[in-house]
Amino acid sequence: MRAGSAAAAAAAAVSAAASLATGLCMKTAGGDRSACAQRAAAQRPAPSSPVRRSARPPASAPIRSRLANNSRIVGLLAQLEKINTESAESDTARYVTSKILHLAQSQEKTRREMTAKGSTGMEVLLTTLENTKDLQTTLNILNILVELVSAGGGRRASFLVGKGGSQILLQLLVNASKESPPHEELMVQIHSILAKIGPKDKKFGVKARINGALNITLNLVKQNLQNHRLVLPCLQLLRVYSANSVNSVSLGKNGVVELMFKIIGPFSKKNSSLMKVALDTLAALLKSKTNARRAVDRGYVQVLLTIYIDWHRHDNRHRNMLIRKGILQSLKSVTNIKLGRKAFIDANGMKVLYNTSQECLAVRTLDPLVNTSSLIMRKCFPKNRLPLPTIKSSFHFQLPVVPVTGPVAQLYNLPPEVDDVVDESDDNDDIDLEAETENENEDDPDENFKNDDIETDINKLKPQQEPGRTIEELKMYEHLFPELVDDFQGYDLISREPKPFVFEGKVRGPIVVPTAGEEASGSSGSSRRGAAVQENVSPRGEEGDRKPASMDVAKEDTKDSGRTLQPPLGDESRTVSSTHGLNNDIVKALDRITLQNMPSPAAPGVKKDYNLPLTVLTCTKVCPHVATCGNVLFEGRTVQFGKLCCAGVETEDDEDTESNSSVEQASVELPDGPTLHDSDLYIEIVKNTKSVPEYSEVAYPDYFGHIPPPFKEPILERPYGVQRTKIAQDIERLIHQSDIIDRVVYDLDNPNYTVPEEGDILKFNSKFESGNLRKVIQIRKNEYDLILNSDINSNHYHQWFYFEVSGMRPGVAYRFNIINCEKSNSQFNYGMQPLMYSVQEALNARPWWIRMGTDICYYKNHFSRSSVAAGGQKGKSYYTITFTVNFPHKDDVCYFAYHYPYTYSTLQMHLQKLEAAHNPQQIYFRKDVLCETLSGNSCPLVTITAMPESNYYEHICQFRNRPYIFLSARVHPGETNASWVMKGTLEYLMSNNPTAQSLRESYIFKIVPMLNPDGVINGNHRCSLSGEDLNRQWQSPNPDLHPTIYHAKGLLQYLAAVKRLPLVYCDYHGHSRKKNVFMYGCSIKETVWHTNENASSCDVVEDMGYRTLPKILSHIAPAFCMSSCSFVVEKSKESTARVVVWREIGVQRSYTMESTLCGCDQGKYKGLQIGTRELEEMGAKFCVGLLRLKRLTSPLEYNLPSSLLDFENDLIESSCKVTSPTTYVLDEDEPRFLEEVDYSAESNDELDIELTENVGDYEPSAHEEALSDSELSRTHLP
């Protein structure tokens, strides 16, 4: 017997305990204790326990984990053990097991002792159960097991499974079934215990099938349908069997589905528990496609709906909610297949569930029914094609070279007759893609996982500088580095006399003056030699008297087209003569509106108020139908502005009507320093911006400019039930089709469409730089479906939007649904709002984008992508962003955007303003052209540093030996926040701040502020005109298809070739799924650690310096979050700038800096949506961080004790914590909502669509925090 020695030891323990209790036994070395045991036992009342006859255990018997010495259960188990070994009489076993049962039923202590770690009690019981022939003993033991697992939850059930309980009980079931008829009580107990432990045994389904238990249980149910006491545990076990798909099909062939429908039925107050279990079993069975088809063929979908209606009507007190939910779960299972969905529609299921769920809304406790009904209806909503002729972009750009492979090649090779909008088969038959909770993809933090995307090859992880191009090829970049050869002899520098030169630790070793080549000249034609052309703009920008060129009709005798959306373009009704086309008051008002005339930021906490006391203009005259305010820009093209308003500019004070034409201007403070916005200059720059659609219109926000609003914008609270309300309104489209207008009101694909003339229809437009809106369909009177344009030369990447709306009425709630988004989740579900810009507000001296919209949510809809668009996968759904807006003004012109727009022309304007305003004696500023883009736009390259103190050798040497910082941004056009951060960086570097001057004296900055100008101009979300993500092309950029990446990489390769490797490379990005600002870097040890390998075992010695800059930023930048940073290298990111610059160029501090599109959940800005002020502040703080980095990396700091460096390296091994791998988990950790939020997140959903760059988060320990703080204080960081 396997437990004999253990039981003997237990018996000895009991006898010893008895001896101690009576005081008759003394401890002696090796003494015979049996007599003591007998004396102790003799004092017990008869009948005496068999324990007193037990022999002394062998001296070698192992002593198991001892329980309490006075425990009665130990003695009883020892008796039972002896009975097993001696094959004693059955009545004794029956007596002992009944005693154990009594203790198990009455004492939790007994149950705990029997399932304690190391206890052999469970083994003794199972051995007895295997060997006994006595029915009562078997029943006793089964009852004991039921008691043990019923009270202990899953742990005790797992304990029983671990002792082999599943197999023993299944064999017992088979043996008991051979009796004719089977013993009812025995069958009840066996099925009860198996139903409890089965879910804890991963192999239970296989074991049950091999033992032949499936049909035993099924036949018991068939033969005893009226015996509810026996049928109930049998159904519970059938439900467990059905978790195995093979078992489910096998049971289905033997009639289990038909059997279930004999048990379930209309409303009844009797046997509700049996009904509930039968429905749960049915729902599990119907997850099998075979069983679902069988149910559909027999008309059971209609039966389920009928039963559901009956229970819904009669369950007035909602006491049977679980039964009602069970019916819905069965419907949910059967509608996983296409036939089930069709049967559901044919049976009028949509209307049934819609009506019942609407009736349940009033009772909060019935929310599970509402949510499950919503999931079923959404799933059964017929998949529709997008109402488009093709999902490819409306615009086409012919590439100079067509890639041989990849999605662009596939797109070009598609036969013209292929319909790429939707497939005939749009069904993922047996896959339920619906999520039942918002955290479907959230991994258990304690669960071990392996992320295959983490790079594990140490050889690939080790940075290996690869020149890639010969030094001769790289000489083409010499002219972009005149600072390395310029002698500054012709410059008016601050100091003409040399000063005693001190290196201040900036340069180690001998002075080296690197040159790019003898032929490089400091006076080449492309060099501006540091001094900027002033263009008649003073450094402080005296712009108060400036008038916008496009608004000054008298200055330029030209005409303009108003953007009224009334085709054709040449229609005379759209072009008004400049001499009488613009209301004089509007002209005067616009003349006075510059970005200086704005209110100073208000105190924190000021709420949004459209009636702030800033009376800037008052106008009671009616504006003409079209406001002409442009001039001829291109050959045959005009820059057009939309109509300002059809009923005149609204006044700030409606009662102020005394003057018909007066324009009052409030006295407002001017912002400190020069503004970078210049409306005149913007119009001039737009003339030279080349777009694929040849845009001839300018959006008002880009013309007027944007300043941050003087109030905080908190993250929006999500109203309870908002998503299901929106989904219910979508379902109403199918149920009440006659209510749907379905009228196209805007269409890029049809240039001849006519805009309805009715006054209550909104008018839309997106034909301007960075605009994206393809089609608008009016669904209901105040509801519109919007479709976005895909990236050019692509058929997906729909997320960025920027469009104009006009013709609105105040006090009306307009609902906008953007119906072809692709990401599986969005921060719109977590409090982010779209942005709105009101022209009326801008005219009233409030030219800012504000967060706008209520009832916002993001969810999977009933439109489906074709397999062409989904990379061969069928049935992939689109997602909807929906939001509701109440416009503040009548007939306003408003703009909506995904994030704060920042156009290519805006960048060029800002660069020109910075160049014009800087002090050439103090700041070395150059703006070069890195290259031309595919469509012929220039990609600017900016160089910023401090001018040398003099043109003497020592100062020139110091100038040339400054380390480089290389920055880039906006490789993804939809991540406009990256440009605002870059704007903050550029403004700070060009400011008169003493810290900025110190920074310029420390570094030479090479900046590519917009890596993807074409994508930005044409309103793309992620790609360039090549249809490819440029941040996946850094390994092998094609000079014809990816010129900006090819040449940006060339600049870095050139610096590496001349031994001037940048100290830092940082690529600015935006992040749509996470909050705060954070960084991704590259580390070998942290990557290896995340592979669950032992990082210390690898022979890699790594400098921890890559953590210094993020750590500094976490101390000084309120929006920055260190805990969100990651330094793991993933295979899917091996072609990104960050990894390539680290691996190939050899820059240790190579980063991606991600800025949230939503807001912050920590620090100073916790609970607030992020704005341009915070983004620009982040750009400035990044600069401050670089100055502190300089102090930490000065020669004094290189002499740190080696023990300190070793301690830092050890931090990885002691403090790393792996979290969910974001390559597969697209959702970030967010607080739960009270309602179920169905994001339907599909894992592995297009790996490069906005996947987070990191795999896990490194959480620094308290020791590291203290170390970093001490470092900061030791180096006197400001």
Side-chain angles (χ1 to χ4, degrees):
M1 281 296 172
R2 56 181 170 176
S5 60
V14 172
S15 64
S19 299
L20 289 170
T22 58
L24 298 177
C25 182
M26 298 180 65
K27 290 184 179 179
T28 58
D32 188 347
R33 301 174 189 167
S34 59
C36 296
Q38 290 174 7
R39 287 196 302 272
Q43 300 198 17
R44 301 179 196 138
S48 61
S49 169
V51 172
R52 57 183 177 173
R53 298 196 305 270
S54 60
R56 182 178 67 223
S60 60
I63 300 176
R64 302 289 179 119
S65 173
R66 297 206 178 194
L67 308 175
N69 286 336
N70 60 351
S71 173
R72 292 180 59 195
I73 193 66
V74 176
L76 292 171
L77 288 170
Q79 286 182 278
L80 194 58
E81 175 74 14
K82 184 172 177 59
I83 292 170
N84 289 336
T85 57
E86 297 179 357
S87 302
E89 63 274 13
S90 59
D91 58 338
T92 308
R94 195 179 308 140
Y95 174 77
V96 173
T97 53
S98 66
K99 284 285 188 182
I100 296 174
L101 174 60
H102 174 72
L103 289 174
Q105 288 174 331
S106 58
Q107 296 181 6
E108 168 60 24
K109 176 184 175 183
T110 298
R111 295 191 292 267
R112 189 166 56 248
E113 288 175 350
M114 292 184 68
T115 55
K117 185 177 181 181
S119 170
T120 58
M122 193 72 78
E123 294 179 9
V124 173
L125 290 174
L126 291 174
T127 301
T128 308
L129 190 63
E130 254 186 316
N131 297 324
T132 185
K133 306 295 183 186
D134 181 61
L135 175 63
Q136 188 57 49
T137 302
T138 301
L139 287 172
N140 286 346
I141 294 175
L142 288 174
N143 278 300
I144 293 168
L145 294 178
V146 169
E147 289 294 330
L148 291 178
V149 299
S150 296
R155 190 194 67 80
R156 291 181 185 174
S158 299
F159 184 78
L160 178 53
V161 170
K163 299 294 183 182
S166 301
Q167 183 61 44
I168 293 171
L169 289 165
L170 285 168
Q171 189 59 51
L172 181 63
L173 173 61
V174 173
N175 295 337
S177 68
K178 295 174 182 177
E179 300 290 334
S180 183
H183 192 276
E184 178 182 325
E185 181 64 25
L186 184 60
M187 284 299 183
V188 168
Q189 295 301 334
I190 294 174
H191 280 85
S192 295
I193 188 67
L194 281 173
K196 286 182 170 64
I197 70 170
K200 297 298 179 182
D201 188 347
K202 293 179 180 179
K203 299 292 182 66
F204 184 77
V206 177
K207 292 175 184 176
R209 187 167 66 251
I210 292 174
N211 280 280
L214 303 183
N215 288 332
I216 294 173
T217 304
L218 181 59
N219 290 330
L220 270 177
V221 177
K222 288 180 178 178
Q223 296 161 12
N224 299 275
L225 276 177
Q226 302 308 314
N227 186 347
H228 295 160
R229 183 171 180 272
L230 177 58
V231 169
L232 183 63
C234 290
L235 289 177
Q236 291 172 334
L237 187 55
L238 281 174
R239 181 178 59 192
V240 179
Y241 291 157
S242 303
N244 181 290
S245 58
V246 177
N247 291 352
S248 188
V249 172
S250 175
L251 289 167
K253 289 178 180 177
N254 291 319
V256 69
V257 176
E258 294 83 351
L259 182 63
M260 292 301 104
F261 278 94
K262 291 181 181 178
I263 299 174
I264 65 176
F267 176 78
S268 171
K269 294 184 178 179
K270 298 179 181 179
N271 304 318
S272 59
S273 58
L274 187 67
M275 176 82 170
K276 170 67 175 64
V277 175
L279 285 167
D280 289 345
T281 306
L282 180 62
L285 288 164
L286 293 179
K287 288 181 178 178
S288 158
K289 184 159 55 175
T290 304
N291 290 341
R293 285 174 178 163
R294 183 176 283 108
V296 172
D297 292 342
R298 286 162 174 72
Y300 289 151
V301 174
Q302 177 69 67
V303 173
L304 285 170
L305 285 167
T306 304
I307 293 174
Y308 183 72
I309 294 172
D310 190 64
W311 280 87
H312 174 78
R313 288 175 178 169
H314 292 92
D315 187 24
N316 298 322
R317 296 187 178 182
H318 312 303
R319 293 177 176 173
N320 296 295
M321 190 188 76
L322 292 178
I323 290 178
R324 293 158 68 181
K325 187 174 183 183
I327 301 171
L328 291 176
Q329 291 291 350
S330 298
L331 283 168
K332 186 170 177 283
S333 296
V334 79
T335 51
N336 281 343
I337 65 169
K338 195 172 184 178
L339 282 175
R341 294 195 284 274
K342 184 178 184 303
F344 179 83
I345 295 290
D346 293 344
N348 206 20
M350 295 289 281
K351 192 168 186 178
V352 168
L353 291 195
Y354 175 80
N355 291 335
T356 53
S357 62
Q358 292 301 301
E359 291 170 11
C360 292
L361 285 176
V363 184
R364 190 72 169 264
T365 55
L366 298 182
D367 279 355
L369 302 183
V370 177
N371 294 333
T372 307
S373 296
S374 177
L375 289 176
I376 296 169
M377 289 187 287
R378 291 176 62 195
K379 182 165 47 176
C380 296
F381 203 121
K383 290 290 183 185
N384 290 349
R385 58 184 289 152
L386 283 172
L388 296 173
T390 173
I391 55 174
K392 293 195 291 285
S393 173
S394 298
F395 309 127
H396 176 72
F397 180 83
Q398 184 61 44
L399 296 176
V401 179
V402 178
V404 179
T405 58
V408 180
Q410 294 174 8
L411 211 62
Y412 269 78
N413 294 329
L414 276 180
E417 66 275 7
V418 170
D419 182 357
D420 66 348
V421 179
V422 75
D423 297 306
E424 286 300 316
S425 171
D426 61 350
D427 192 21
N428 279 350
D429 265 351
D430 205 25
I431 301 174
D432 181 12
L433 294 176
E434 302 295 342
E436 295 187 32
T437 70
E438 69 271 25
N439 292 317
E440 181 192 49
N441 277 337
E442 184 176 298
D443 284 61
D444 184 347
D446 297 326
E447 182 182 344
N448 291 325
F449 63 87
K450 184 175 181 180
N451 186 350
D452 293 332
D453 192 36
I454 302 179
E455 183 58 75
T456 57
D457 188 337
I458 295 294
N459 293 324
K460 288 185 178 180
L461 282 174
K462 289 181 179 177
Q464 299 171 352
Q465 285 185 247
E466 301 172 4
R469 294 153 72 179
T470 66
I471 189 66
E472 293 301 320
E473 291 178 297
L474 293 173
K475 282 185 177 180
M476 65 183 291
Y477 299 111
E478 285 176 340
H479 73 281
L480 297 176
F481 294 90
E483 64 272 10
L484 295 179
V485 295
D486 206 330
D487 58 10
F488 294 92
Q489 294 303 313
Y491 290 79
D492 182 18
L493 300 175
I494 296 174
S495 173
R496 300 299 299 170
E497 296 296 327
K499 297 178 181 177
F501 187 71
V502 181
F503 272 97
E504 297 180 356
K506 295 187 178 80
V507 181
R508 286 175 290 150
I511 299 174
V512 179
V513 184
T515 59
E518 294 303 321
E519 62 275 7
S521 170
S523 58
S524 61
S526 64
S527 172
R528 297 180 186 233
R529 303 172 64 91
V533 179
Q534 288 300 311
E535 299 183 8
N536 298 323
V537 179
S538 66
R540 282 289 167 186
E542 298 289 330
E543 297 171 299
D545 299 325
R546 173 176 53 77
K547 295 184 179 182
S550 63
M551 295 297 178
D552 194 343
V553 182
K555 185 161 59 178
E556 303 199 21
D557 187 17
T558 56
K559 63 181 182 179
D560 176 42
S561 299
R563 226 176 320 112
T564 61
L565 305 180
Q566 297 174 347
L569 200 61
D571 193 334
E572 291 185 3
S573 66
R574 299 192 60 182
T575 306
V576 182
S577 170
S578 62
T579 56
H580 58 79
L582 195 63
N583 182 290
N584 290 334
D585 292 335
I586 298 297
V587 174
K588 293 177 183 177
L590 291 173
D591 282 347
R592 285 171 168 77
I593 291 178
T594 67
L595 287 187
Q596 284 100 329
N597 299 334
M598 303 306 163
S600 58
V606 177
K607 297 182 179 180
K608 298 181 186 180
D609 186 358
Y610 286 101
N611 293 311
L612 293 175
L614 295 171
T615 308
V616 175
L617 54 94
T618 305
C619 172
T620 56
K621 288 188 175 180
V622 176
C623 178
H625 180 62
V626 177
T628 63
C629 43
N631 53 352
V632 176
L633 298 181
F634 316 104
E635 299 83 359
R637 286 198 285 160
T638 59
V639 171
Q640 304 165 359
F641 287 91
K643 55 182 182 177
L644 293 179
C645 52
C646 294
V649 179
E650 291 189 8
T651 62
E652 287 294 286
D653 184 358
D654 292 339
E655 298 177 0
D656 184 11
T657 57
E658 294 180 5
S659 173
N660 290 334
S661 60
S662 65
V663 178
E664 299 175 4
Q665 184 170 349
S667 59
V668 292
E669 295 182 15
L670 298 179
D672 185 26
T675 176
L676 291 186
H677 191 84
D678 184 332
S679 300
D680 300 26
L681 183 57
Y682 188 83
I683 293 296
E684 292 301 315
I685 290 171
V686 169
K687 298 176 184 179
N688 300 313
T689 299
K690 300 170 185 175
S691 61
V692 174
E694 296 188 343
Y695 289 134
S696 59
E697 302 177 2
V698 173
Y700 275 103
D702 302 325
Y703 175 81
F704 282 126
H706 159 81
I707 63 170
F711 44 78
K712 296 178 180 179
E713 297 182 287
I715 290 174
L716 191 69
E717 267 191 51
R718 183 188 179 97
Y720 181 82
V722 60
Q723 178 169 297
R724 67 184 185 199
T725 301
K726 298 294 183 182
I727 291 169
Q729 292 172 5
D730 289 350
I731 291 167
E732 288 172 7
R733 300 186 188 189
L734 187 67
I735 298 172
H736 307 298
Q737 296 185 17
S738 59
D739 296 343
I740 303 305
I741 298 173
D742 198 28
R743 172 168 46 194
V744 176
V745 296
Y746 181 70
D747 191 356
L748 280 185
D749 295 300
N750 180 14
N752 298 320
Y753 79 97
T754 56
V755 181
E757 293 298 327
E758 294 148 45
D760 57 351
I761 296 179
L762 294 180
K763 297 172 179 59
F764 295 82
N765 186 34
S766 63
K767 298 174 184 175
F768 45 80
E769 187 176 347
S770 294
N772 191 319
L773 181 64
R774 181 172 185 168
K775 190 172 187 176
V776 181
I777 302 168
Q778 186 182 20
I779 300 301
R780 299 181 178 94
K781 183 178 180 181
N782 299 314
E783 182 179 354
Y784 297 84
D785 278 359
L786 283 61
I787 302 175
L788 304 179
N789 198 16
S790 58
D791 286 4
I792 293 175
N793 275 319
S794 170
N795 56 18
H796 55 152
Y797 299 115
H798 315 97
Q799 208 78 17
W800 166 257
F801 57 87
Y802 182 18
F803 58 88
E804 171 199 287
V805 181
S806 58
M808 66 285 293
R809 291 175 294 139
V812 176
Y814 292 94
R815 178 181 171 184
F816 299 100
N817 312 304
I818 299 173
I819 63 172
N820 64 329
C821 299
E822 291 178 275
K823 295 179 187 176
S824 57
N825 201 355
S826 168
Q827 283 289 326
F828 282 116
N829 276 328
Y830 301 116
M832 184 168 83
Q833 294 173 279
L835 285 144
M836 190 188 87
Y837 190 105
S838 163
V839 174
Q840 286 282 3
E841 290 295 304
L843 293 176
N844 290 329
R846 292 190 285 272
W848 46 61
W849 287 94
I850 60 169
R851 301 281 185 170
M852 179 62 80
T854 57
D855 295 342
I856 302 169
C857 53
Y858 186 98
Y859 57 89
K860 182 186 284 188
N861 60 34
H862 58 277
F863 293 103
S864 178
R865 278 178 274 180
S866 72
S867 59
V868 173
Q873 302 176 58
K874 296 180 179 179
K876 289 182 74 67
S877 294
Y878 286 106
Y879 293 78
T880 291
I881 300 170
T882 181
F883 57 94
T884 301
V885 175
N886 283 275
F887 293 100
H889 303 288
K890 182 180 180 182
D891 292 323
D892 197 358
V893 177
C894 292
Y895 292 79
F896 289 95
Y898 182 59
H899 198 66
Y900 300 93
Y902 191 102
T903 65
Y904 170 77
S905 298
T906 299
L907 171 68
Q908 293 285 36
M909 174 187 66
H910 285 169
L911 291 179
Q912 287 196 32
K913 294 289 288 182
L914 286 171
E915 184 177 22
H918 86 283
N919 180 357
Q921 287 188 321
Q922 190 176 35
I923 302 175
Y924 180 97
F925 178 93
R926 284 175 48 87
K927 183 163 76 74
D928 294 296
V929 175
L930 174 64
C931 62
E932 279 201 348
T933 65
L934 289 177
S935 63
N937 293 292
S938 63
C939 179
L941 170 68
V942 176
T943 306
I944 301 174
T945 188
M947 293 292 282
E949 289 190 41
S950 74
N951 55 16
Y952 282 81
Y953 174 76
E954 292 86 351
H955 290 144
I956 300 298
C957 285
Q958 192 277 338
F959 175 87
R960 294 180 182 178
N961 278 282
R962 293 169 187 166
Y964 275 93
I965 302 290
F966 200 108
L967 306 177
S968 60
R970 204 68 184 280
V971 70
H972 295 143
E975 297 168 8
T976 58
N977 47 356
S979 282
W980 289 100
V981 176
M982 180 57 78
K983 178 175 181 281
T985 294
L986 289 168
E987 287 189 47
Y988 187 85
L989 289 176
M990 298 294 289
S991 70
N992 294 324
N993 190 306
T995 309
Q997 177 62 19
S998 179
L999 189 63
R1000 290 191 294 265
E1001 292 172 355
S1002 302
Y1003 299 115
I1004 300 174
F1005 288 85
K1006 283 287 181 187
I1007 303 174
V1008 185
M1010 191 171 285
L1011 279 168
N1012 191 353
D1014 288 345
V1016 172
I1017 292 166
N1018 292 287
N1020 284 5
H1021 175 66
R1022 195 168 182 89
C1023 298
S1024 69
L1025 293 186
S1026 70
E1028 297 166 296
D1029 181 350
L1030 290 183
N1031 202 35
R1032 296 297 184 275
Q1033 311 303 324
W1034 277 79
Q1035 269 189 327
S1036 303
N1038 184 309
D1040 297 317
L1041 294 176
H1042 325 117
T1044 59
I1045 304 303
Y1046 180 82
H1047 292 295
K1049 184 178 181 181
L1051 293 179
L1052 288 158
Q1053 289 172 324
Y1054 176 81
L1055 286 172
V1058 299
K1059 310 302 181 187
R1060 296 299 303 273
L1061 211 58
L1063 178 68
V1064 171
Y1065 170 77
C1066 189
D1067 192 21
Y1068 293 2
H1069 281 254
H1071 206 291
S1072 68
R1073 298 177 193 272
K1074 295 179 76 173
K1075 291 184 171 67
N1076 310 310
V1077 181
F1078 49 93
M1079 276 180 155
Y1080 296 131
C1082 301
S1083 163
I1084 301 175
K1085 296 200 93 172
E1086 295 195 35
T1087 302
V1088 172
W1089 195 92
H1090 278 290
T1091 62
N1092 294 327
E1093 304 285 344
N1094 188 354
S1096 61
S1097 66
C1098 70
D1099 58 351
V1100 176
V1101 178
E1102 188 173 38
D1103 183 359
M1104 291 285 289
Y1106 63 88
R1107 281 186 158 270
T1108 311
L1109 182 58
K1111 193 67 183 175
I1112 292 170
L1113 291 176
S1114 70
H1115 282 80
I1116 65 174
F1120 195 88
C1121 179
M1122 185 68 189
S1123 63
S1124 294
C1125 296
S1126 174
F1127 305 92
V1128 174
V1129 180
E1130 298 166 271
K1131 296 174 186 176
S1132 61
K1133 305 299 188 299
E1134 62 184 4
S1135 294
T1136 61
R1138 165 178 62 101
V1139 177
V1140 170
V1141 173
W1142 171 72
R1143 181 181 291 164
E1144 294 184 21
I1145 310 298
V1147 178
Q1148 183 202 23
R1149 295 180 176 89
S1150 179
Y1151 305 105
T1152 297
M1153 187 163 74
E1154 300 273 359
S1155 301
T1156 179
L1157 291 164
C1158 177
C1160 297
D1161 58 12
Q1162 53 85 48
K1164 175 182 174 183
Y1165 302 129
K1166 182 177 181 179
L1168 297 178
Q1169 294 184 77
I1170 204 158
T1172 57
R1173 179 186 287 109
E1174 293 75 31
L1175 293 169
E1176 291 183 50
E1177 177 193 62
M1178 186 64 236
K1181 293 291 187 183
F1182 181 82
C1183 296
V1184 176
L1186 290 174
L1187 190 58
R1188 297 192 177 189
L1189 178 68
K1190 172 217 168 188
R1191 299 178 183 180
L1192 288 174
T1193 55
S1194 67
L1196 293 175
E1197 298 300 326
Y1198 277 98
N1199 297 321
L1200 288 172
S1202 59
S1203 59
L1204 179 59
L1205 297 176
D1206 292 339
F1207 175 66
E1208 284 191 332
N1209 283 326
D1210 290 339
L1211 288 174
I1212 297 178
E1213 296 159 25
S1214 63
S1215 306
C1216 278
K1217 173 186 172 186
V1218 179
T1219 58
S1220 302
T1222 54
T1223 303
Y1224 302 99
V1225 182
L1226 301 182
D1227 301 341
E1228 49 277 5
D1229 185 21
E1230 293 287 352
R1232 289 175 176 267
F1233 293 115
L1234 293 177
E1235 64 172 319
E1236 285 186 348
V1237 183
D1238 174 24
Y1239 301 132
S1240 305
E1242 300 159 11
S1243 59
N1244 270 343
D1245 195 23
E1246 288 85 42
L1247 280 180
D1248 56 349
I1249 294 188
E1250 225 18 86
L1251 287 178
T1252 53
E1253 296 258 1
N1254 66 316
V1255 178
D1257 297 339
Y1258 176 104
E1259 293 191 358
S1261 66
H1263 300 293
E1264 186 181 16
E1265 296 283 350
L1267 172 67
S1268 300
D1269 290 340
S1270 64
E1271 282 184 340
L1272 294 176
S1273 60
R1274 176 164 45 81
T1275 52
H1276 309 292
L1277 294 181

